[in-house]
Amino acid sequence: MTSLHAMKHHVAIVTDSTASIPPDVAEQLNICVIQLELTIGDQENDERRIPHAELAQALRDGTHVETGPPPPPAFFWNYNDAASSGAEAIVSVHISEGLSQTCQSARTAAEEISLPVFVVDSRLCGLGMGFPVIAAAEAAAAGGSTQGVLGVLDRRLRSTTQMIYVDTLEYLRRSGRVGRAQAFFGQALSIKPVLVLREGILEPMVKGRGPERALKKAIREAVARAGYGPVDIGIEHFQYGERAHEIAEQLRAQLPQARRVVVAETSAIIGAHAGPGALGLTVSPAT
């Protein structure tokens, strides 16, 4: 967890581990990252302490896997740390409430802090949330006001598209995160789904017969949504690294205006729901 003791800015930025922000970036911009919790069998821990290979094997074996939000005290002590370090306000940005109760935990803690705390439901996750958080932190580092930082964050969240390819809907079905997408994609094993986070909920977007066709459609959609100005691109994966790097190269070639093209292992929390072989594609125009 990144300490807030070095925080020198008017506005402190807090997020959670599902944002997939590289640790060096979080350190540089004083972004406090609070860990969600992951349980495998009878082992409960911060998600960062669970190796992805171990999680993937547990999912394949049918071992009980459960995810949970950080408890309110985790937020309270970090908010308190920000207040002690001289922050005048906190912007706390978290995974979609349609997927997790993290925002609720943050709000519970915020009620115990005298400092103004703005808890923001990103309605996204992964780098779909991470890029806007980075933009907000950059605005805070430049001395932006609370409203200025919130404005930057809101614009980036609204312009960002996040797509998720899964090899099977089974893991999303197990965790209750799939809803009407199940009926849209049907049960055929050869049909591979690409979902989009819309208004904080996973909804069907495109499908293809086999992974190549499905991912080609997703790449085409990503390019269309990138526009012609500066854009940040994220490719996250859960046990699908080789394919993630191939997609990154394709997008670099097709989007020369991209400022960042980040390839990262996704949060273990997201991996627990999406399953092995999942890919996330984030398109975040720098508007």
Side-chain angles (χ1 to χ4, degrees):
M1 186 180 298
T2 303
S3 172
L4 285 167
H5 285 300
M7 203 282 307
K8 299 177 182 178
H9 311 309
H10 174 77
V11 182
I13 305 297
V14 176
T15 191
D16 63 67
S17 52
T18 67
S20 296
I21 296 174
D24 60 327
V25 175
E27 186 76 27
Q28 179 185 0
L29 291 171
N30 292 306
I31 300 169
C32 174
V33 180
I34 298 178
Q35 298 291 315
L36 271 74
E37 297 184 348
L38 183 63
T39 300
I40 300 178
D42 57 2
Q43 176 191 4
E44 181 180 344
N45 219 323
D46 287 351
E47 68 151 305
R48 64 182 166 179
R49 302 183 188 279
I50 306 293
H52 279 202
E54 178 185 333
L55 171 59
Q57 192 58 52
L59 289 168
R60 293 188 185 103
D61 292 344
T63 303
H64 173 72
V65 173
E66 185 176 347
T67 62
F75 290 98
F76 174 83
W77 291 113
N78 281 279
Y79 292 164
N80 192 63
D81 196 7
S84 300
S85 300
E88 297 179 33
I90 300 169
V91 174
S92 197
V93 191
H94 300 292
I95 180 174
S96 168
E97 286 195 85
L99 303 176
S100 170
Q101 295 182 342
T102 299
C103 280
Q104 290 95 309
S105 281
R107 291 190 190 103
T108 299
E111 292 174 358
E112 305 299 321
I113 299 291
S114 58
L115 205 65
V117 181
F118 298 86
V119 177
V120 179
D121 173 8
S122 72
R123 299 191 170 192
L124 296 165
C125 65
L127 285 167
M129 177 171 72
F131 285 137
V133 169
I134 290 169
E138 289 171 342
S145 66
T146 303
Q147 290 307 312
V149 170
L150 286 168
V152 168
L153 176 66
D154 181 63
R155 287 192 295 275
R156 285 299 292 265
L157 288 173
R158 285 189 288 107
S159 70
T160 295
T161 299
Q162 187 171 26
M163 294 173 279
I164 299 174
Y165 164 84
V166 292
D167 190 53
T168 171
L169 288 170
E170 173 61 19
Y171 300 108
L172 287 168
R173 185 194 63 76
R174 286 184 196 174
S175 63
R177 300 311 199 274
V178 70
R180 59 180 173 169
Q182 185 85 46
F184 177 80
F185 291 114
Q187 302 295 330
L189 294 177
S190 61
I191 300 299
K192 301 300 181 182
V194 178
L195 307 163
V196 65
L197 262 172
R198 186 173 286 120
E199 296 300 315
I201 303 295
L202 282 170
E203 293 190 351
M205 188 174 197
V206 298
K207 58 185 175 181
R209 191 167 294 279
E212 289 306 314
R213 289 187 182 182
L215 287 168
K216 279 182 181 178
K217 290 182 178 181
I219 292 167
R220 194 178 309 128
E221 189 69 30
V223 171
R225 295 192 178 215
Y228 299 99
V231 63
D232 293 329
I233 301 294
I235 304 97
E236 298 168 85
H237 70 91
F238 183 49
Q239 301 286 284
Y240 208 5
E242 185 176 345
R243 190 70 180 97
H245 284 281
E246 291 171 0
I247 290 173
E249 290 308 309
Q250 293 176 52
L251 289 172
R252 282 192 184 97
Q254 295 183 60
L255 297 172
Q257 77 274 28
R259 298 188 317 171
R260 298 182 181 98
V261 179
V262 176
V263 180
E265 279 196 314
T266 193
S267 153
I269 297 293
I270 297 172
H273 295 294
L279 278 167
L281 258 178
T282 294
V283 179
S284 184
T287 54

